[in-house]
Every structure is written in structure tokens, then in C-alpha cells.
Amino acid sequence: MKNRTFLTAHGAIYTVFAMALFIVPTLMWPMYGVEINDQYAYFLSQHTSIFLGGIAAISLLLRDIEAGKLAKNLFLALTISNSLGVIITLYAGITGIFVGFGWSDPAFFTLLSVLSFMQMKKQ
């Protein structure tokens, strides 16, 4: 896949989740088995969108990056970030924090980790 295509898709996915967790956390989290039951949990969801939005911005703003060391480092960073997502969401699923739709998160982060790694290897 071309760097531009990959980074556009990656950035778009992160943008959607950042906006959803900021704007409608009380709709999103219950699908994962997590309740937003006070103003602090609501804020923490919005706080999480900072990092998702940041990854989206990095992906979208660097989508014209050409192959080379810098591109390889970018894709390595995305691989690491997405791999952390696998570990954390898998833990949430195994311990029962995430239920129902929550099991889609480890699969989602695994897919993005693999795709980021494959993109890195092409650089």
C-alpha cells in the first residue's frame, strides 16, 4: 500500500474514534461494557481523545512522506502505539472490563499493528 493511502486510512480511523469518544462517550463506552457514570469518567473519555486525535493528526499531516529512514521510524512508532493498544485492550477483555463489542478492539489494534509493521518493512 502506498504511504499516502495507509496514513490517510490510519488517520481517518483515529479521527472517527477521537471524535466519538469526545462527543458521545456515553453512547460509545457502553458498547464495550464500560459505563460512564460520573463527570470524571466522562472527562477521562474526552481526555483519551487527545491522544487519539494526536495520532490522527500525525498520520494525516505526514501522509506525503516518502520512503526512507524517517518514514520507517514513523511506521515503527505507529506499530509500537498500535501494539500497546493490543496489549491494553486484550487485558481489558481478559479481565472482563471490555465485553460485547469490546473484543473488537484487540482485533482492530492487531490489524493496525500488522499493517503498520508491513508498511515499515517496505521503507
Side-chain angles (χ1 to χ4, degrees):
M1 182 179 324
K2 292 182 180 180
N3 288 346
R4 182 175 182 78
T5 304
F6 176 80
L7 289 170
T8 300
H10 192 272
I13 290 166
Y14 271 85
T15 297
V16 168
F17 280 99
M19 290 176 61
L21 292 181
F22 184 80
I23 297 169
V24 288
T26 55
L27 288 174
M28 289 296 294
W29 285 117
M31 290 190 290
Y32 293 82
V34 177
E35 293 297 322
I36 301 294
N37 52 13
D38 62 23
Q39 67 189 22
Y40 305 105
Y42 193 91
F43 170 74
L44 283 176
S45 179
Q46 291 179 321
H47 191 270
T48 299
S49 69
I50 295 167
F51 307 106
L52 298 175
I55 292 171
I58 290 166
S59 295
L60 292 171
L61 292 172
L62 293 177
R63 62 186 165 189
D64 289 324
I65 197 168
E66 295 184 19
K69 183 169 177 38
L70 184 59
K72 189 169 190 159
N73 285 343
L74 169 63
F75 293 116
L76 175 59
L78 293 177
T79 300
I80 292 168
S81 176
N82 288 316
S83 296
L84 289 171
V86 172
I87 294 165
I88 293 166
T89 58
L90 189 59
Y91 171 80
I94 290 170
T95 60
I97 295 169
F98 275 2
V99 295
F101 194 65
W103 279 102
S104 67
D105 262 25
F108 161 77
F109 281 115
T110 299
L111 176 63
L112 286 180
S113 295
V114 169
L115 292 174
S116 296
F117 181 79
M118 290 171 47
Q119 202 69 27
M120 179 188 70
K121 291 307 232 178
K122 289 175 40 178
Q123 304 307 307

